[in-house]
Amino acid sequence: MDKTRVIALAMASGWWSGLLSAAALMLASRLSGDGVPTGLNGPSHWFFGERAAHAQRFSIRHTVVGTMTHQASSFFWASIFATLRTRRSALDHGDARIAAEAAAVTAVAAAVDLLVAPRRLTPGFERRLTAWPLAGVYVAFAVGLAAAALRERRHDLMARACSSPHSPHPPASPRCPAPRR
């Protein structure tokens, strides 16, 4: 396993999954009749107590800490996903398999977040969202994981095609990506 590939995929999938699920949290909060930052305030409850999970307005205290906590959690789960994706047997999996692996890691994350973790360590936003909006947040998370892995796979496939002696594009072609180190 190439550690640089694991780190690169963990960073990319962590950013995408965190950003997409944060956007879904804000949308779900608004559609549920709460303030837009309510869902992002929720994760700060581990530090500031139960009132933070119900805070409705933007604040440095709740929104920034909650967003940072949410993003850190995204990087944690993305690192597990990246480790699974970069093992030798997973490198040639197709798009459907990548999406299924993203969904599986997300399902485990949701189970741990909502069923296993002590109440103080749950995401906090589950206290304000009903089942469907909550599921939408986790779907957005899975989409972020899959999008990063699919982008990496496309890059690798193009690099392989360009390095082939039968490639229609010479290696110096703008269509050929630079090789990964």
Side-chain angles (χ1 to χ4, degrees), residues 12-95:
S13 58
W15 277 117
W16 280 111
S17 61
L19 290 173
L20 291 176
S21 58
L25 267 174
M26 291 186 294
L27 179 63
S29 293
R30 187 69 187 130
L31 293 175
S32 297
D34 289 335
V36 171
T38 303
L40 292 176
N41 292 340
S44 69
H45 81 98
W46 72 271
F47 192 74
F48 295 115
E50 191 62 29
R51 285 185 12 183
H54 302 282
Q56 295 277 329
R57 299 180 192 269
F58 174 85
S59 71
I60 299 294
R61 180 179 181 161
H62 297 126
T63 311
V64 172
V65 172
T67 300
M68 291 172 55
T69 301
H70 176 75
Q71 195 63 48
S73 175
S74 298
F75 283 123
F76 171 77
W77 290 108
S79 66
I80 293 171
F81 176 71
T83 301
L84 294 173
R85 282 294 321 136
T86 54
R87 66 189 191 282
R88 187 175 311 277
S89 63
L91 296 178
D92 292 322
H93 291 166
D95 295 353

